[in-house]
Amino acid sequence: MSSAQREAPVENAALVSELLQTLVKAQRAFGMYLPNNPIYHRAADNIRAAFAPVWQAIDELVLTVDETDFRWEEQSVYQQPSKQDSLAWVLYKDGMRVLTLKRGVEEAEIVRFLETINKARRLPTDASDDLLTLLWEIGRAHV
């Protein structure tokens, strides 16, 4: 294996890590601001921009979801030890163990996904719905 081949996964992991940091920031912005707010729009634009270098390196992003972190290619690419603030925890607690993102997700689906996560976070603990139910509903509505 050449040194360039060994370095590519490390460089790609850094790109994935930056993307996840951008996703977390956007998810927070979407929870705080309405869609007509410039900060909301800037967050959506930042997501689209953060995906571009990832798609130049890989065609599909498959993330393993742990309690407090995301793993890609056996490497931790994002960690948030505080479960209350952790995007990974929101997914993990409702049963999601793998998140697969494909080229084009940044156009509209990722915004709906992050908005749905915020909606799930605001559900009362005794709600009959959970994140997976909400995701299934938006998936069914956009088929």
Side-chain angles (χ1 to χ4, degrees), residues 24-36:
V24 168
K25 288 177 186 176
Q27 184 253 325
R28 287 184 192 134
F30 295 162
M32 293 172 31
Y33 301 99
L34 294 173
N36 64 349

Side-chain angles (χ1 to χ4, degrees), residues 9-27:
V10 172
E11 291 170 10
N12 292 347
L15 294 173
V16 172
S17 180
E18 289 175 32
L19 169 64
L20 288 169
Q21 291 173 27
T22 303
L23 286 176
V24 168
K25 288 177 186 176
Q27 184 253 325

Side-chain angles (χ1 to χ4, degrees), residues 122-138:
R122 291 188 299 268
L123 289 173
T125 55
D126 61 345
S128 60
D129 286 338
D130 62 6
L131 177 61
L132 298 181
T133 304
L134 296 174
L135 290 171
W136 182 79
E137 288 174 0
I138 65 166

